[in-house]
């Protein structure tokens, strides 16, 4: 069967790309090893934070704003509430690069941001206990995305626009000869004019079939829900948060519909092979201890573990994304290496991937995410 475009990996980025491509009239096939949204990759766990004033660097702000606009659009088209405007509180030392980037990007892009000292933070959110070496930057217009529901919404709309989605279809053989892409899957062969590779933690092995060797490092991550006093931590009164502390970078979510306070650690984690079964939450002794020590210092009233899960990050050396076309094949678009902060952008990245396939260029500035920054390693 021949398609205009085949997408390998229909997760966060791939499913969004499937929507934009099928909406623009492209005959689109999406293949995924599992049945997205699922619990085996990088997109499960109910919620993802979206921030606009961006600690990782100002170059992300236009992408974050575009993504937010597209999330509102997806809500409208799907009739589902996918975004909760809880606001996001970023805590750290005033001199830290992360905090300074947030403050400067809010100024450059005129984004609403309240800079609060520790006394103001503790007063406004009594569930937080902040000592005076920290400040808080509260962004009221950002918040929380319901991640699996976002993927489901894109899936439904892509199918309505005629996309074919083949779940439980792991691609093991992939080749490109000039303008012809060939994928062999079990007894079937699919061909297409163009290809999107958006296979998350598995992208490295797929791209090596196309002679592209990117520095991608899949890492095991843990996160957990803790019993929460609903008066203090419910999502109408308590924001999503990120804390930069000397012990690590932590992030979390208010209790949504009584689910509990969800907390994870952004830095650290163990390098893994995504082809092998990952250790579950609690199988390493530090899994719970690490999150509990954060809570005991900053949110001491939430200390009772409900349950935890594991998930994967795909790290690049500089923790910036890879969004580009294959250096040898202009008809192959690649999105990978989202380094634990990609979900919020997936609506915009889906649109970018579709632009790269249709016209070979994007309206967004994707230069910071180019492959050639790893030239000597590729
Ligand atoms: C615990 C945790 C918390 C996070 N928190 C945030 C946050 O608050 N905010 C934020 O913006 N980001 C966050 N992220 C990061 C974000 O979720 C990821 O960057 C994003 O989901 C990556 O999307 P992806 O499309 O690359 O991968 P995925 O969504 O995993 O999609 C890849 C897909 O490819 C499929 N696939 C792989 N190999 C093959 C193959 N051979 N054949 C067919 N299909 C294949 C997989 O089955 C999968 O469905 C978090 C990540 C984790 C793990």
């Amino acid at each position: 069967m021949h398609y205009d475009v085949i997408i390998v990996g229909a997760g966060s980025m791939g499913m969004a790309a499937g929507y934009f491509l099928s909406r623009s009239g492209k005959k689109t096939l999406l293949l995924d090893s599992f049945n997205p949204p699922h619990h085996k990759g990088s997109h499960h766990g109910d919620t993802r934070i979206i921030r606009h004033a961006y600690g990782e660097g100002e170059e992300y702000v236009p992408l974050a704003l575009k993504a937010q606009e597209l999330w509102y659009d997806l809500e409208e088209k799907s009739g589902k509430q996918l975004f909760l405007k809880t606001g996001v509180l970023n805590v750290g030392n005033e001199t830290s690069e992360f905090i300074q980037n947030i403050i400067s990007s809010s100024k450059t892009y005129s984004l609403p941001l309240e800079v609060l000292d520790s006394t103001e933070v503790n007063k406004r959110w009594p569930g937080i206990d902040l000592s005076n070496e920290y400040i808080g930057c509260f962004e009221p217009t950002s918040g929380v995305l319901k991640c699996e529901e976002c993927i489901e919404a894109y899936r439904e709309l892509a199918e309505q626009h005629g996309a074919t989605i083949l779940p439980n279809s792991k691609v093991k053989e992939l080749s490109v000869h000039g303008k012809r892409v060939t994928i062999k899957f079990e007894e079937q062969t699919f061909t297409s004019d163009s290809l999107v590779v958006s296979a998350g933690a598995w992208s490295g092995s797929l791209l090596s079939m196309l002679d592209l060797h990117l520095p991608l490092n899949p890492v095991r991550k843990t996160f957990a829900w803790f019993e929460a006093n609903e008066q203090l931590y419910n999502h109408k009164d308590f924001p999503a948060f990120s804390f930069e502390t000397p012990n690590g970078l932590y992030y979390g979510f208010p209790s949504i519909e009584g689910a509990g306070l969800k907390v994870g650690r952004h830095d650290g984690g163990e390098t893994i092979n995504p082809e092998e079964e990952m250790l579950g939450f609690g199988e390493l002794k530090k899994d719970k201890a690490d999150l509990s020590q954060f809570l005991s210092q900053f949110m001491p009233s939430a200390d009772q573990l409900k349950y935890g899960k594991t998930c994967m990050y795909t790290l690049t050396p500089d923790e910036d994304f890879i969004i580009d076309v294959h250096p040898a094949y202009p008809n192959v678009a690649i999105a990978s290496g989202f380094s634990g902060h990609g979900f919020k952008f997936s609506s915009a990245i889906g649109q970018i991937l579709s632009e790269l396939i249709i016209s070979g260029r994007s309206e967004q500035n994707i230069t910071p995410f180019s492959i050639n920054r790893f030239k000597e390693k590729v």
Side-chain angles (χ1 to χ4, degrees), residues 8-14 31-34 36 38 40-44 47-50 54 151 169-172 198-203 206 221-223 251 253 262 311-314 335-345:
V8 179
S12 321
M13 310 300 160
L31 296 161
D32 200 282
S33 307
F34 306 104
H38 59 74
K40 305 276 188 187
S42 302
H43 60 247
H44 60 281
T47 45
R48 292 290 184 268
I49 295 175
I50 178 163
Y54 216 62
I151 294 178
S169 307
K170 180 172 179 168
V171 172
K172 294 179 186 156
S198 47
W202 294 265
S203 300
L206 277 164
K221 304 298 298 181
T222 55
F223 56 99
Y251 64 88
F253 301 81
K262 181 181 143 190
C311 192
M312 287 184 284
Y313 281 4
T314 309
S336 186
F338 290 99
S339 303
H341 62 121
F343 191 87
K344 64 181 78 59
F345 301 103

Side-chain angles (χ1 to χ4, degrees), residues 103-115:
I103 294 172
S104 70
S105 43
S106 79
K107 286 184 182 145
T108 308
Y109 291 92
S110 306
L111 303 171
L113 189 77
E114 297 173 46
V115 181

Side-chain angles (χ1 to χ4, degrees), residues 19-74:
Y19 161 68
F20 285 103
L21 282 160
S22 57
R23 196 187 69 170
S24 66
K26 293 283 172 195
K27 189 176 173 195
T28 305
L29 171 68
L30 297 101
L31 296 161
D32 200 282
S33 307
F34 306 104
N35 192 10
H38 59 74
H39 289 243
K40 305 276 188 187
S42 302
H43 60 247
H44 60 281
D46 303 345
T47 45
R48 292 290 184 268
I49 295 175
I50 178 163
R51 307 171 263 121
H52 309 148
Y54 216 62
E56 289 83 344
E58 264 186 48
E59 68 273 21
Y60 283 92
V61 178
L63 200 59
L65 296 174
K66 181 71 197 172
Q68 183 70 60
E69 182 192 315
L70 292 171
W71 290 124
Y72 281 129
D73 186 56
L74 182 61

